[in-house]
Amino acid sequence: MRINLFLPLLLFICLQSFGQDNPLVVKDSVAQMAWVENRYANLSLEERIGQLFMVSVASNQGKTAADRIKDLIKEEGIGGVIFLVGGPVQQARLTNEYQEASKVPLLIGSDAEWGMAMRLDSTYAFPWNMTLGAIQDSTIVEKVGYQIGKHAKRLGVHINFAPDLDVNNNPKNPIIGNRSFGEDPKNVAQKGRAFVRGMERAGVLSSGKHFPGHGDTATDSHTSLPIINSSLERLDSIELYPFKKTMEAGLSSTMVAHLDVPSLEPREGHPSTLSKSIITGVLKNQLGFEGLVITDALNMKAVSEFAPEGKVELEAFLAGNDMLLMPENVLKAKETFVQAYNEGLITEERLSESVKKILMAKYKAGLYDYKPVKLENLVADLNGVENDVVYEQAIEGAITVAKNNFSLMPIKKLDNKKIAYVHFGDDSGSVFHESLNKYFKVTHIKAKDIAEYKKELANYNLVIIGFHKDNSSPWKGYKFSENELFWLEEISRLRTSNTILALFARPYAMLDVLNFDTMDGVVVGYQNSEIAQEKVAEVIFGAIGATGKLPVSAHGEFPVGTGLDVAPIQRMGYSIPERVGMSSELLAEVDTLVNDGLDSLMFPGAQVLIARRGKVIYNKNFGKPTYQSKDSITEESIYDLASLTKILSTLPMIMKMEEEGEIALNDTFKDLIPEYADTDLKDVSVLKALSHYGRLPSWIAFYLDTLNKERKPSSEFYRQNPSEAFPYKVAEHLYLTRSYKDSIYNRIGRQSLKSNRYRYSDVGYYVFKEYIEKTYQKPIDELIDEFLYQPMGLQRTTFNPLKKFSKETIVPSEEDDYYRYQTVQGYVHDMGAAMQGGVGGHAGLFSTANEVAKIMQMYLQDGYYGGERFFNARTVKRFNTCYFCNKNVRRGVGFDKPQLEESGPTCGCVSRKSFGHSGFTGTYTWADPDEEIVYVFLSNRTYPSATNTLLIKSGLRTRIQQAIYDSIIN
């Protein structure tokens, strides 16, 4: 038996009217009310009643359906149209057509909770509310609301039936779920208020739904009437709380749900949409809401079967609703209303109250000055890059680390890691896997059963399981399969590895997991969008931090509010130009310039990377490895860096040694190599040699002395096969005698000093290499790999790349017809480095643009990267200083620096603090601390011949640099 609890309602729900300002009143209220009164006075009774109805149409339904709505507009004077599925251009055309046919401008509505993509193709989908609920910074939610509002306004939509203010405290809720901000009423209220602020700021009316709260039910009101069996106290503190707080923030309208709420409505099975005690009693009188009150769709089964056609709409109106959404039969409903008016059941006062509120809403939406929707650039305007900026910020703010044993995330100490990725779920995880591989080699392990998984995973010490579920709608399935639950438990029990679960689904998926005792890390990405996959990978590797909190209880171990703050460790992230104050449109000039270089035959192919503020925002590949190649350059293509070796290999070792006291900038060559004590070189200091002010020759063509009369490699110095006496591999089937190393250093020692001016020289780097290797009793390629490349997680930065990679992965540098007489591919192009077995102090390093950028970013971060300090900030500053600028020597200590006069190595647009280097094969990298920019250009301009100097003459690399700086907008 149902007890009437409505009478003591005032004891439990906040008694006072909240004294809110009427959210429909605009600043110029006098003009608004004049417009409203004038419009109302010029409407007949039938037209006034017509204003109460908002009918639905799908823009893809065809002409018959569209014309039927047009007839209702013309003949029945309906007040609004809600568009369902379709496309933006069709909807805009229909909107213009309908508005032209209407005596009073129509209020156009839409369900766009996560953007117009909730209903329309070719539009943008923002994160679900559940995802937004995890964000701790509500200004991000406001930005989402603003973007959605901008899109609605651009499309001619005046009222968006959002946000969903339901408190989803029932995980089995079939219709709300991801549409809710969560189960904490305060969090739902906070996010709802922020969303409303953003959307209203964009000029679109907001609508909180589904009053009085649709969260605590396992029934879908589209099919039957859900029951909310909550006490008055619970309703007031939970379900109603977000509505009350959001109303205070200026909520324009409230949508009433079809619910059976016994504690608020004494009649059993009576839908809240038709309940005067709920709508007039609670919403209007007790909560003091003066905004527009709108029904949920009246064609839903929960209410449509409650009374005959026309009667449902009348009851809804008499209950206190202003606008009646999607009535089943407008003609029948209007007929019923006219009869009720004539019989006095509907008073003029009651009718005018609702119609004038509708007109006030139209005025607030700008319909007093109606303008048609512009079709030009509509789709482009709805899909601008600013959407991705906001989406990225939202996902980054939402990502939640629920568990992090041993501070496993972010992953550090990459030199001792062997990482596997296991894919669970029915949706793609390819972007996640690719993103993980931008930081370290992560192997995708596939298996048909747990026995095979255990066998394969035994070789790894960290397993990342990605659970990927369909991201196309918030209602898609989110549960683990039975097999996956079993595999998850068994894999996490492996003693040979730690396990991280990355969840790309709603948090409720974890409810089915028995326990997380053996799981070391859990990170929740909420959705399986590409951006979510990228950003979770960045959290795992420390490019960004994590601050999100679970908006719902996801497991006994993970109650609502769970979330560990994880700080970033300054690894490079990946984003879009606008995220870091640059313009995608202006950066398109880089594409033009590089393609001009290709068309002008400056090089066969190139990689170009641009990063700012620690984020790679441009990383493109152009052309092919050779002009005849069928393959294209990819991010994994490996280039011969030539002289970039100096600052990416030898210089880091010298900086390390300087910190350790193994070398000093005022040390001289006789200190490094005692045999030079009686040579002209004896007093050349480390500082001057690294500054290219040491009076050293530019280079020495050692290889010429090893050629025979036919200018081919002499058999005196070379063999086709390696041996103890001929160990140095110069190229395919070409091995240099061991004894020639002494010849190289003896010849350097015989050099006379040149004039005392700036002269770029490779020679000093031969000396530095020899000293480094003697000091540590280990080859420099092994030393730098252990010190820098492995800890940074660099996988494709190496000397002699053929030892690790297939030849097809490596871009050829020349068709050599003067020394090696073969295609130089996988072997260093520089002859002097080749004669040292491919490892020179001045050349020999191979890499990709992505990995070169990481080293440059480490310098930009004063020697810190990925949680490790490689150098003290003092050391970086010391080496990035021009000590001889007063002598017209622009160089720093190893680093190249901006020109002192008009022309030089940069565009002239960089700061004096900037630094970098260029390479003979067509490579270039530059970093600017002031603008926080890293730029990398890798090409093989020397292919097929090093005599091709078009790249150098054109100044293309620095023209690209100018385009980069021209694209800075903030």
Side-chain angles (χ1 to χ4, degrees), residues 360-421:
M360 288 174 70
K362 290 184 176 184
Y363 189 97
K364 182 181 179 182
L367 284 169
Y368 65 91
D369 185 27
Y370 163 74
K371 291 180 176 61
V373 181
K374 292 182 180 178
L375 301 182
E376 187 179 0
N377 297 323
L378 177 59
V379 174
D381 291 345
L382 296 174
N383 291 279
V385 70
E386 66 274 9
N387 299 328
D388 285 339
V389 172
V390 173
Y391 192 108
E392 243 188 40
Q393 291 175 325
I395 290 295
E396 287 183 10
I399 293 171
T400 304
V401 174
K403 188 172 185 178
N404 195 23
N405 286 354
F406 323 115
S407 297
L408 190 56
M409 292 178 280
I411 301 171
K412 306 179 188 72
K413 301 292 182 185
L414 294 178
D415 45 349
N416 64 9
K417 294 292 188 296
K418 193 168 183 190
I419 306 176
Y421 161 70

Side-chain angles (χ1 to χ4, degrees), residues 4 32 119 201 211 251 269 346 381 402 455 502 507 526 598 601 603 661 689 720 731 777 805 888 900 941:
N4 187 340
Q32 181 186 33
R119 291 289 183 254
R201 182 160 54 89
F211 188 86
L251 185 69
I346 297 177
D381 291 345
K455 179 182 176 183
Y526 296 93
L598 287 172
L601 304 182
F603 44 81
Q720 289 190 352
Q777 292 295 298
F805 302 99
N888 204 31
L900 300 175
R941 70 98 190 158

Side-chain angles (χ1 to χ4, degrees), residues 322-369:
D322 298 308
M323 203 159 203
L324 310 169
L325 185 65
M326 297 169 64
E328 289 206 292
N329 189 327
V330 173
L331 299 179
K332 183 67 175 175
K334 279 193 69 178
E335 184 182 307
T336 305
F337 271 65
V338 171
Q339 182 180 346
Y341 184 90
N342 291 331
E343 293 174 354
L345 187 58
I346 297 177
T347 65
E348 171 58 26
E349 181 184 9
R350 174 69 189 88
L351 180 63
S352 68
E353 175 193 330
S354 286
V355 175
K356 287 180 180 179
K357 282 170 71 176
I358 292 166
L359 291 171
M360 288 174 70
K362 290 184 176 184
Y363 189 97
K364 182 181 179 182
L367 284 169
Y368 65 91
D369 185 27

Side-chain angles (χ1 to χ4, degrees), residues 610-630:
I610 304 160
R612 191 179 192 212
R613 298 174 187 167
K615 296 181 185 294
V616 175
I617 49 88
Y618 184 105
N619 190 10
K620 293 188 178 182
N621 310 289
F622 298 86
K624 300 177 179 181
T626 72
Y627 291 111
Q628 295 76 34
S629 177
K630 294 180 180 179

